[in-house]
Amino acid sequence: HEPSRSETRTTIASILLLICICPSLHHGSNMISFILMVNKQGQTRLSSYYEWMDMQERVALESEIIRKCLSRSELQCSFLEYRGFKVIYRRYASLFFIVGTKPDFDVRKSSSKLTGKHVVGDQSVENYENELGMLEFIHSLVETMDRWAGSICELDIMYQLEQVHFLLDEMVMNGYVVETNKSNVLRPIDLIDKESKKNEGMFG
């Protein structure tokens, strides 16, 4: 069937968002290093990492970044830099969505070869992340979760963590945003839900 006007607008908006955050359009490629969903008490409800980090370093990094984001006032901008990460965050009701980005591994490695120096903490590589594009990605993620859960809240994440991870994996792969169209993201999840209900009917 021919797409409706609303479907066409949604598709165009998704394409524009991908263009905004497409790494090939940056001066250097950037990747998402981690995504955190945190409540206003600073408790992590979901964390997803796209580059390896040992658990001790991960816990220390999370606690410091969460503390910095939650301590900022509404008058301050939603971007900050910490230990080579460019951190973009956005608050929705009682939940904070936090994204940390870095130049990708190949860019860091090539920079190290060009300078002849080992890049410590990635401080010598410029991060050209499009902060506004990443804010729009966070908004697109929240809208997709809203469509899936009604109005997303902390309890939805806690009790349906596997589905939230699955939704996130449909949007981000290996640290890069690959899909922002809500219908495309939710289609596999809807199929899984339908199949699980069939199984419940067969064995219930």
Side-chain angles (χ1 to χ4, degrees):
H1 74 285
E2 290 189 13
S4 65
R5 285 186 179 180
S6 62
E7 288 174 329
T8 304
R9 282 197 295 268
T10 302
T11 303
I12 292 170
S14 300
I15 292 169
L16 289 173
L17 175 55
L18 281 172
I19 289 171
C20 282
I21 52 185
C22 179
S24 64
L25 298 179
H26 293 166
H27 298 282
S29 285
N30 297 299
M31 65 175 287
I32 294 173
S33 297
F34 58 83
I35 295 175
L36 307 174
M37 297 181 194
V38 181
N39 66 16
K40 61 184 179 182
Q41 285 77 38
Q43 298 166 313
T44 303
R45 293 309 183 197
L46 177 144
S47 62
S48 189
Y49 285 80
Y50 300 97
E51 65 173 325
W52 187 86
M53 204 179 293
D54 68 55
M55 189 54 68
Q56 190 174 359
E57 184 183 358
R58 185 182 292 190
V59 169
L61 178 73
E62 263 185 46
S63 62
E64 188 60 26
I65 284 179
I66 290 169
R67 186 186 65 78
K68 284 181 177 291
C69 290
L70 269 62
S71 64
R72 292 166 73 85
S73 74
E74 292 181 3
L75 298 176
Q76 292 177 286
C77 75
S78 297
F79 323 132
L80 60 96
E81 294 192 13
Y82 178 71
R83 285 177 52 188
F85 292 98
K86 187 169 282 188
V87 180
I88 300 97
Y89 71 94
R90 197 163 183 170
R91 181 178 178 177
Y92 291 85
S94 63
L95 284 171
F96 285 81
F97 291 77
I98 303 171
V99 177
T101 69
K102 267 188 176 181
D104 76 11
F105 180 74
D106 290 335
V107 172
R108 285 177 257 162
K109 193 165 63 173
S110 62
S111 174
S112 179
K113 285 180 180 178
L114 286 171
T115 58
K117 298 176 182 176
H118 177 63
V119 181
V120 180
D122 308 319
Q123 296 294 330
S124 65
V125 184
E126 189 68 33
N127 187 333
Y128 292 101
E129 186 56 74
N130 183 335
E131 296 95 338
L132 296 177
M134 198 53 64
L135 274 179
E136 281 303 308
F137 161 69
I138 294 173
H139 188 63
S140 177
L141 170 61
V142 173
E143 284 187 330
T144 306
M145 293 173 74
D146 279 344
R147 184 185 287 190
W148 164 68
S151 180
I152 194 70
C153 68
E154 188 178 344
L155 291 176
D156 291 319
I157 297 171
M158 290 172 64
Y159 293 120
Q160 300 184 82
L161 188 61
E162 186 178 0
Q163 288 96 320
V164 179
H165 271 290
F166 195 93
L167 185 153
L168 193 56
D169 289 344
E170 288 293 309
M171 298 184 76
V172 182
M173 185 181 293
N174 295 328
Y176 296 103
V177 179
V178 293
E179 184 60 83
T180 57
N181 184 291
K182 301 176 189 66
S183 299
N184 291 345
V185 171
L186 294 175
R187 193 173 294 120
I189 298 173
D190 291 339
L191 288 172
I192 290 170
D193 288 342
K194 285 177 184 175
E195 289 302 316
S196 64
K197 284 174 184 175
K198 280 185 188 175
N199 292 334
E200 286 173 10
M202 290 170 64
F203 302 108

